[in-house]
Amino acid sequence: MLDIDRLLAELTLPEKASLTSGSSFWYTTPVERLGIPKIMVSDGPHGLRAQPGEGDHVGLGGSVPATCFPTASAIASAWNPDLLRRIGQALAQEARAINLSVILGPGVNMKRSPLCRRNFEYLSEDPFLAGELAVGIVDGIQSRGVGTSVKHYAANNQETDRLRVDAQVDERTLREIYLPAFERVVKAAQPWTVMCAYNKVNGRSCSENAWLLTTVLREEFGFAGLVVSDWGAVYHRVPALSAGLDLEMPPALRRSPEAIVAAVEAGEVPTEILDARVRTVLELVAKGMPVLELDESFDPDAHHALAREAAGESIVLLKNDGVLPLTADARIAVVGEFARTPRFQGAGSSQVNPTRVDVLLDELRAVYGEVPFAAGYGIGDTADDEALLAEAERVAGSADSIVMVIGLPGADESEGFDRTHMNLPANQLAALKAVAAVNPNVVVVLVNGSTVVLGEVTPYAKGLVEAWLGGQAAGGAIADVLTGAVNPSGRLAETIPHRLEDNSSYLNFPGDPQVVRYGEGLFIGYRGYDKCRQDVAFPFGFGLSYTSFALSNLDVALQGSVAEGTLRATVTVTVANTGAVDGAEVVQVYVQDVESSVARPVRELQGFAKVSLAAGTSRQVSIELAQRAFAFWSIRHHDWAVEAGDFTIAVGPNSRDLPLTETITVEAPSLAAPLNRDSTLQEWMSDPIGRQLIEGEVKNGQPAAVLHDELISVIGNMPMSTLANFAGMSLDHDALDRVSDAGRQQTGIT
């Protein structure tokens, strides 16, 4: 263990400055004379991409073999924090086997637009779901003595100009949409590190944003770990140090440490600030040191089996016209190059060198024997599409059912740039239509990290399976679902719209040069589609099963009080498997504020539970809602606030299918604005004491016009200080001063 207080006393100023930058691409800085070792960090949201020594960052050179688990967009569809916890434990074991101290992940940025090409690394369009899932994987990794780095903090929702773009977001939107997943993970799991993003937020780079890094993250959320930069996100080292950025990666060797030394010597940066940053680095090194002495290994077969289980649980069945599961004696054919050349992960900094890869075509042949196959289309190179299409038509006529695999090429989804559309490749759609014309019994399997429009797919598919980018075992997992060995239980963690233009960010994505305005505010994902009453292809939370479920006996019990901050609601419901197959249902709880003084979403996910049930059985499930489930961020009070009134608790299998509802009444202190001279006539008249004071002045001879309901509807939104200038229509200024003074004395009105 490190004696941090002693080290801080013995470190020289240049040594301290050097510790706040790494020593190389993946390592912290050692100080050998004091016994401070270097520790290694590595990319790894869904699998380690560790490059011991000098790495090349975006390639696979030197990347050690590791299990490639399902990407975030896939595993989020499992809606299962416990599964994420188990994956986290497996990732940690692989880290321990290579003496890796910190895994850089998970990514909890919101899916503001389906065009963000890094969406495959992110969990959801919903902050509550993303936060709960992230807690699972962080808990799992850190339970084995390996650290995590929750990223990218904050408002990093596009790749276009990501190092310079200024994300202009109002505070309420930040608080309700883009910060809660980070807040939840910090408060529930205390990740060892949080990674700040490349972009600016409201004019200031995240690495230099003291409000984000210190005021919100440390002081409000209670983060006790280290803030590390995204690789290359530090633009001015000294301001970043002062703002709360502890560790710069990769290092600007000599330049950054020398700048810090000069700033301290010149008195521009107090020694206390540098010592605080160094202490945080030393604390991280101390936590990461134990793995340096380990001589452990991991079981690649067991981890592959877990990857297969996870991929199977992540698959979402979108459509089934009785064609699935495939029968044991089915005569099937397979079409689609992706069935032979699997795509199972995204490109960029998260790309894993897998220990092995399951191929769907091989997996289906292991079940059905020799299965006819046709590529059907080319990936990237489409020069042979005409011949491939003819072959696909021939193969389609030789079977009872067709399994057709289509999706996005790797070039369409990668770190560093965004998509410009949501369409599948034209040659794949042409192949699908041609195959369906020959044989209508088509099961379409989608392999994609980001959502795609399905208007030209669904009509030609009797079965539609969203397999996402399911990791190295995806081929086996898809076969498990198609054959019924696994009953699909995945549910969409993001909405699939009919058109790109339906998405609420459409008019503001990716923005103007170096600036993007989050003009849609709170209304991203299902919040936007619901508010605009837009039909969608498949709603948030949707997913089918090979069995059926029924929900009943909803009960909502309130306890605690808003005033004391202890309000709780216990939502209890009975879940029954009414079909003939064992399966799992995701019970989803949404909250709606029936009447609010501010704009709020129609409904918001505030609780869920995944319930596994044998055929014909039922279970009672209880889901706890905290006070935050009823709150909004009040700009006026600069805090979370709950308004008194009715709230509807809606329970069902997805955001657009909520058969059980119960309306509860919540008591809460008034959130009325403090009354003063600049408060409007309506505000004064809607407050009991304010109205009483004005009525008293009217009785004393002031104009009675302020009491006329018809006139209030016309001038009621005018400040009283303005109305006081209108002779005969309002209280004069002296009377307004009297009621303001009286109000302060009687009620604390200011």
Side-chain angles (χ1 to χ4, degrees), residues 402-479:
I402 307 300
V403 174
M404 185 159 186
V405 187
I406 59 178
L408 294 177
D412 282 14
E413 296 184 288
S414 176
E415 180 179 355
F417 50 93
D418 291 314
R419 296 194 292 169
T420 57
H421 59 79
M422 295 178 64
N423 303 323
L424 288 162
N427 63 337
Q428 295 185 28
L429 295 174
L432 171 60
K433 293 174 185 177
V435 167
V438 174
N439 188 334
N441 295 319
V442 180
V443 176
V444 173
V445 177
L446 298 168
V447 287
N448 50 291
S450 304
T451 52
V452 294
V453 290
L454 297 173
E456 295 185 76
V457 175
T458 307
Y460 302 98
K462 284 198 172 180
L464 182 56
V465 174
E466 175 57 88
W468 304 109
L469 300 181
Q472 67 181 52
I478 295 168

Side-chain angles (χ1 to χ4, degrees), residues 553-575:
N553 303 324
L554 173 63
D555 180 72
V556 182
L558 281 178
Q559 54 198 19
S561 72
V562 171
E564 296 177 358
T566 59
L567 181 70
R568 296 289 185 275
T570 302
V571 180
T572 304
V573 65
T574 300
V575 191

Side-chain angles (χ1 to χ4, degrees), residues 7 211 287 324 362 398 476 523 558 583 644 649 652 686:
L7 291 173
W211 182 78
K287 287 188 287 189
L324 291 172
D362 295 341
S398 69
F523 300 103
L558 281 178
I649 309 299
S686 62

Side-chain angles (χ1 to χ4, degrees), residues 196 370 379 403 452 471 574 603 697:
C196 82
E370 187 57 37
I379 301 174
V403 174
V452 294
T574 300
R603 63 186 64 86
E697 288 296 329

Side-chain angles (χ1 to χ4, degrees), residues 406-701:
I406 59 178
L408 294 177
D412 282 14
E413 296 184 288
S414 176
E415 180 179 355
F417 50 93
D418 291 314
R419 296 194 292 169
T420 57
H421 59 79
M422 295 178 64
N423 303 323
L424 288 162
N427 63 337
Q428 295 185 28
L429 295 174
L432 171 60
K433 293 174 185 177
V435 167
V438 174
N439 188 334
N441 295 319
V442 180
V443 176
V444 173
V445 177
L446 298 168
V447 287
N448 50 291
S450 304
T451 52
V452 294
V453 290
L454 297 173
E456 295 185 76
V457 175
T458 307
Y460 302 98
K462 284 198 172 180
L464 182 56
V465 174
E466 175 57 88
W468 304 109
L469 300 181
Q472 67 181 52
I478 295 168
D480 290 339
V481 168
L482 295 179
T483 61
V486 168
N487 187 354
S489 62
R491 304 293 184 263
L492 293 176
E494 55 192 297
T495 308
I496 301 179
H498 288 299
R499 313 179 307 152
L500 169 63
E501 292 84 354
D502 294 340
N503 185 268
S504 59
S505 71
Y506 177 72
L507 295 178
N508 294 288
F509 186 95
D512 299 323
Q514 298 187 35
V515 63
V516 55
R517 299 171 182 84
Y518 284 43
E520 70 282 355
L522 308 172
F523 300 103
I524 73 165
Y526 70 88
R527 289 167 169 80
Y529 300 119
D530 288 352
K531 196 72 171 180
C532 294
R533 299 181 181 178
Q534 284 179 311
D535 187 43
V536 297
F538 297 99
F540 177 80
F542 179 84
L544 302 175
S545 171
Y546 294 152
T547 189
S548 56
F549 298 95
L551 303 177
S552 62
N553 303 324
L554 173 63
D555 180 72
V556 182
L558 281 178
Q559 54 198 19
S561 72
V562 171
E564 296 177 358
T566 59
L567 181 70
R568 296 289 185 275
T570 302
V571 180
T572 304
V573 65
T574 300
V575 191
N577 182 341
T578 57
V581 181
D582 297 352
E585 175 67 297
V586 178
V587 180
Q588 301 170 34
V589 179
Y590 295 82
V591 176
Q592 176 187 10
D593 189 346
V594 176
E595 184 177 352
S596 175
S597 64
V598 297
R600 298 194 68 173
V602 175
R603 63 186 64 86
E604 297 180 275
L605 179 75
Q606 297 294 353
F608 65 91
K610 192 161 195 176
V611 187
S612 296
L613 292 170
T617 65
S618 63
R619 183 186 308 170
Q620 189 178 74
V621 177
S622 291
I623 298 171
E624 299 293 328
L625 305 183
Q627 180 163 313
R628 182 75 165 266
F630 303 92
F632 66 93
W633 181 261
S634 171
I635 298 300
R636 177 184 299 150
H637 297 85
H638 202 68
D639 201 356
W640 292 97
V642 177
E643 286 187 306
D646 291 342
F647 289 82
T648 297
I649 309 299
V651 181
N654 66 71
S655 64
R656 293 270 174 106
D657 183 8
L658 300 166
L660 302 181
T661 61
E662 182 172 331
T663 299
I664 59 173
T665 301
V666 172
E667 302 294 334
S670 173
L671 296 178
L675 297 179
N676 55 40
R677 290 175 52 86
D678 291 327
S679 299
T680 68
L681 173 59
Q682 288 175 335
E683 289 168 345
W684 274 92
M685 298 303 288
S686 62
D687 182 271
I689 293 178
R691 185 182 185 93
Q692 182 181 11
L693 291 171
I694 289 179
E695 288 175 343
E697 288 296 329
V698 169
K699 290 179 181 178
N700 291 330

Side-chain angles (χ1 to χ4, degrees), residues 118-285:
R118 212 169 178 180
N119 274 353
F120 65 87
E121 283 193 55
Y122 301 142
L123 292 164
S124 181
E125 67 187 29
D126 181 81
F128 180 85
L129 178 59
E132 294 302 307
L133 295 176
V135 167
I137 195 167
V138 170
D139 273 345
I141 293 171
Q142 296 191 169
S143 71
R144 301 284 291 120
V146 176
T148 59
S149 191
V150 179
K151 60 184 186 180
H152 305 86
Y153 184 75
N156 182 182
N157 307 108
Q158 66 186 66
E159 294 297 282
T160 302
D161 206 15
R162 61 178 176 163
L163 272 74
R164 301 183 303 173
V165 71
D166 181 13
Q168 297 185 356
V169 199
D170 69 272
E171 185 177 359
R172 185 178 169 211
T173 296
L174 280 171
R175 296 283 191 171
E176 293 192 24
I177 301 296
Y178 297 103
L179 297 182
F182 291 98
E183 178 183 7
R184 173 61 177 153
V185 180
V186 166
K187 290 182 175 179
Q190 276 295 336
W192 289 12
T193 79
V194 167
M195 183 187 294
C196 82
Y198 287 121
N199 53 281
K200 299 181 180 72
V201 173
N202 295 328
R204 189 170 294 277
S205 297
C206 289
S207 61
E208 301 172 30
N209 197 315
W211 182 78
L212 277 175
L213 301 186
T214 298
T215 304
V216 175
L217 184 61
R218 294 194 182 280
E219 296 174 2
E220 295 184 22
F221 295 174
F223 178 59
L226 176 141
V227 177
V228 61
S229 70
D230 201 345
W231 266 234
V234 177
Y235 311 110
H236 307 97
R237 187 64 188 101
V238 172
L241 186 87
S242 298
L245 192 285
D246 298 300
L247 179 63
E248 175 191 37
M249 294 296 285
L253 293 175
R254 294 189 305 275
R255 183 179 180 86
S256 286
E258 288 174 0
I260 291 172
V261 169
V264 173
E265 290 178 340
E268 297 171 7
V269 174
T271 302
E272 293 78 13
I273 288 181
L274 177 59
D275 284 354
R277 304 289 171 263
V278 175
R279 177 181 292 277
T280 305
V281 172
L282 293 175
E283 288 172 346
L284 177 68
V285 172

